[in-house]
C-alpha cells in the first residue's frame, strides 16, 4: 500500500532559508529551514496527508504499521552554517549507557542525560549541493601538525603542533581531552589560532575563520583541525559510523540515519559536553574520509548500503534511456521525489509522485518506478 506523507521543516538556527524550498518546490517560510523529517520519530513524525488511507491515523508515530517499527529516519538537510561536533555510540555503548542512566534515576528529559534511548545512531549524507562540506573523523596527526604549523609560529601554536607527535591514537585522545578541558592555555591557543587564520590562506585557515565566526572562542575551532575536511560533489555519500566525530559545515543533502536521539557533542555548541563520556565512545583511529561507493543493481539505480541493518538508501533516476526500474523492498520504505514526475506501482496499486512529494510504501515486496522522468530517493531497512 501507498500512503502519502508530509512534514514541516525544523527551524534550527543553522538552517538555510531557501535550499529545502528550492529543492522541493515549496514556499519558503521566511525563516531557517534546517531539516525535513520523513519517518515515525516522535520528535517530528511525518503527517499522514489522508488519514482515511491509514485507518484514521494522523501521523506515522500513531499508525500501527510504522509506530515504533521504522529503524531509520530520512531527512532533507540544509546547513547554512556549521553544526556541532558530535559522535554517536555503538549499539553496546548505547544500551549500557541507557541502562546506567535509568538505574541512576535520571529523568528522560534530564539535561545531564547522554542516552535518550538504547540505540545506536549511524548516519549517511547524500550530497545534493556542490559542494557539501563536512568534517569527518580524525586524520593522521602528522597532517594536522603540518596544517597547524602553517598558521604561524606563535608560541601557543608551536607548542600545540609539537604535542601532536607520537602514537596517533594516544596523541589524538590526549589532544581531544586537553582541548575540551577548558583551561586558560586552551583559550590562549584558540585565540592565537583565530588571529593567525585572519592573515593566512589555505584550508586550515578557512576552516578556522568559518568556525570562529559561528562559535567565537570555542575549543572546537582547534579540535576541527585534527579532523578530515571533506567536500562532497553532488551524488557522493559520506557514511558516519559509531565513534566517528563529525560536523556538517555547509550544504544541502539527503540524510539517512538510525532512529535514535543519542548524540554526544564535542564542541561548536553552547550545549553541554560530557568530555569523559564523549572520549569513551570516540574512535581515535586516523582515517581517510572517502565516499561510500554505491552498488548498481539495475540501470538507473544506485544503492548505498552501509554495514548496519537499520537502513539503506536507493537513488533512482528514470526517463530517457531508462524508462523504468524495479526495486526489491526489504521492509516498510519511504520514498521522496526530488525532481520530475514518477509513477510507483506495486501489488496493491499505484500512485503518481511529483517533485516534493513523499510516500510510505508498506506491505510490498517489490515496486516499479516509471511512468515519467524524475528522481526518487528510497529509504528502507538493510538486507
Amino acid at each position: 500500500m501507498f500512503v502519502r506523507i508530509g512534514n514541516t521543516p525544523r527551524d534550527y538556527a543553522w538552517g538555510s532559508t531557501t535550499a529545502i524550498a528550492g529543492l522541493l518546490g515549496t514556499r519558503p517560510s521566511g525563516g531557517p529551514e534546517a531539516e525535513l523529517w520523513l519517518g515515525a520519530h516522535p520528535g517530528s513524525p511525518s503527517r499522514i496527508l489522508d488519514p482515511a488511507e491509514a485507518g484514521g491515523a494522523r501521523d506515522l508515530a500513531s499508525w500501527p504499521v510504522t509506530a515504533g517499527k521504522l529503524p531509520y529516519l530520512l531527512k532533507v538537510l540544509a546547513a547554512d552554517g556549521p553544526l556541532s561536533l558530535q559522535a554517536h555510540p555503538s549499539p553496546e555503548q548505547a544500551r549500557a549507557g541507557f541502562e546506567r542512566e535509568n538505574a541512576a534515576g535520571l529523568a528522560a528529559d534530564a539535561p545531564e542525560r547522554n542516552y535518550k534511548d538504547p540505540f545506536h545512531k549511524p548516519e549517511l549524507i547524500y550530497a545534493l549541493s556542490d559542494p557539501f562540506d563536512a568534517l569527518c573523523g580524525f586524520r593522521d596527526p602528522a597532517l594536522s601538525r603540518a596544517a597547524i604549523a602553517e598558521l604561524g609560529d606563535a608560541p601557543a601554536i608551536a607548542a600545540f603542533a609539537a604535542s601532536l607527535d607520537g602514537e596517533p591514537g594516544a596523541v589524538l585522545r590526549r589532544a581531544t581531552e586537553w582541548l575540551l578541558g577548558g583551561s586558560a592555555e586552551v583559550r590562549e591557543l584558540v585565540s592565537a589560532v583565530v588571529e593567525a587564520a585572519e592573515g593566512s590562506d589555505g584550508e586550515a585557515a578557512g576552516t578556522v575563520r568559518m568556525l570562529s565566526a559561528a562559535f567565537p572562542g570555542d575549543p572546537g575551532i582547534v579540535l576541527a583541525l585534527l579532523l578530515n575536511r571533506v567536500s562532497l560533489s553532488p551524488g557522493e555519500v559520506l557514511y558516519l559510523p559509531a565513534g566517528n566525530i563529525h560536523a556538517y559545515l555547509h550544504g544541502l543533502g539527503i540524510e539517512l540515519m538510525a532512529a535514535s536521539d543519542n548524540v554526544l557533542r564535542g564542541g561548536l555548541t553552547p550545549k553541554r559536553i560530557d568530555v569523559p563520556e564523549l572520549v569513551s565512545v570516540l574512535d581515535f583511529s586516523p582515517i581517510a574520509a572517502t565516499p561510500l561507493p554505491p552498488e548498481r543493481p539495475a540501470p538507473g539505480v544506485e544503492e548505498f548500503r552501509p554495514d548496519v541493518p537499520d537502513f539503506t538508501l536507493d537513488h533512482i533516476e528514470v526517463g530517457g534511456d531508462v524508462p523504468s526500474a524495479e526495486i526489491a523492498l526489504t521492509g516498510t520504505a519511504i520514498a521522496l521525489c526530488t525532481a520530475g514526475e514518477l509513477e510507483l506501482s506495486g501489488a496493491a496499486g499505484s500512485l503518481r509522485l511529483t517533485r516534493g512529494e513523499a510516500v510510505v510504501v508498506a506491505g510490498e515486496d517489490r515496486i516499479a518506478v516509471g511512468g515519467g522522468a524524475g528522481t526518487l530517493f528510497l529509504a528502507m531497512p538493510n538486507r
Side-chain angles (χ1 to χ4, degrees):
M1 65 186 300
F2 301 102
V3 176
R4 294 181 184 272
I5 58 174
N7 214 337
T8 300
R10 309 284 279 181
D11 60 352
Y12 306 139
W14 49 262
S16 167
T17 59
T18 59
I20 290 179
L23 174 69
L24 302 181
T26 55
R27 183 184 298 276
S29 66
E33 297 179 345
E35 295 179 346
L36 177 72
W37 291 22
L38 297 172
H41 193 288
S44 181
S46 296
R47 298 188 308 275
I48 294 173
L49 300 186
D50 184 354
E53 294 179 343
R58 297 190 173 276
D59 61 48
L60 296 188
S62 61
W63 188 29
V65 172
T66 52
K69 298 177 182 177
L70 288 184
Y72 60 84
L73 176 62
L74 179 66
K75 298 180 181 181
V76 183
L77 181 144
D80 203 35
L83 283 65
S84 62
L85 283 167
Q86 57 190 265
H88 310 298
S90 69
E92 297 77 17
Q93 291 166 336
R95 186 165 52 252
F98 184 67
E99 292 174 354
R100 184 172 62 250
E101 292 179 351
N102 283 350
L106 292 181
D109 58 352
E112 65 270 32
R113 194 178 250 283
N114 292 307
Y115 298 96
K116 306 296 180 63
D117 54 63
F119 308 116
H120 68 163
K121 191 175 179 283
E123 58 193 55
L124 62 76
I125 187 80
Y126 180 107
L128 294 173
S129 59
D130 188 10
F132 185 99
D133 290 320
L135 300 168
C136 178
F138 290 102
R139 61 182 174 180
D140 188 325
L143 299 176
S144 296
R145 186 168 63 247
I148 292 167
E150 289 178 1
L151 291 173
D153 57 359
I157 295 175
F160 182 65
S163 75
L164 299 178
D165 191 19
E167 193 280 320
V171 164
L172 293 168
R173 182 186 184 103
R174 183 174 64 245
T176 299
E177 291 178 315
W178 182 73
L179 287 169
L180 297 180
S183 67
E185 290 80 6
V186 170
R187 293 192 292 273
E188 180 185 356
L189 172 63
V190 173
S191 178
V193 165
V194 171
E195 182 179 356
E198 293 302 322
S200 301
D201 295 321
E203 184 178 275
T207 299
V208 169
R209 289 193 294 270
M210 171 194 288
L211 300 182
S212 179
F215 301 98
D218 194 295
I221 296 167
V222 178
L223 181 56
L225 299 180
L226 305 182
L227 311 183
N228 294 289
R229 173 76 183 263
V230 182
S231 289
L232 299 175
S233 298
E236 290 187 321
V237 165
L238 194 62
Y239 173 53
L240 308 161
N244 178 290
I245 186 167
H246 59 276
Y248 300 144
L249 300 179
H250 188 274
L252 175 67
I254 300 294
E255 186 179 32
L256 184 57
M257 63 179 60
S260 168
D261 277 332
N262 289 326
V263 178
L264 291 155
R265 291 178 174 84
L268 307 180
T269 179
K271 296 182 179 180
R272 170 179 175 269
I273 299 175
D274 185 332
V275 178
E277 193 65 28
L278 171 70
V279 168
S280 76
V281 306
L282 282 179
D283 184 351
F284 290 101
S285 303
I287 65 168
T290 55
L292 178 69
E295 300 177 15
R296 293 183 170 85
V301 180
E302 291 182 317
E303 187 172 73
F304 297 91
R305 188 188 302 173
D307 58 352
V308 292
D310 308 78
F311 56 81
T312 185
L313 181 70
D314 281 10
H315 167 247
I316 304 161
E317 295 267 7
V318 297
D321 294 337
V322 184
S324 65
E326 190 169 287
I327 310 297
L329 301 184
T330 56
T332 300
I334 292 179
L336 171 67
C337 179
T338 58
E341 183 175 356
L342 304 162
E343 181 173 272
L344 273 60
S345 58
S350 64
L351 90 168
R352 297 197 71 79
L353 283 182
T354 60
R355 174 188 173 202
E357 294 183 329
V359 64
V360 172
V361 184
E364 300 281 353
D365 294 327
R366 308 184 73 83
I367 59 169
V369 181
T375 303
L376 190 77
F377 287 94
L378 184 71
M380 57 184 161
N382 203 351
R383 294 192 180 97

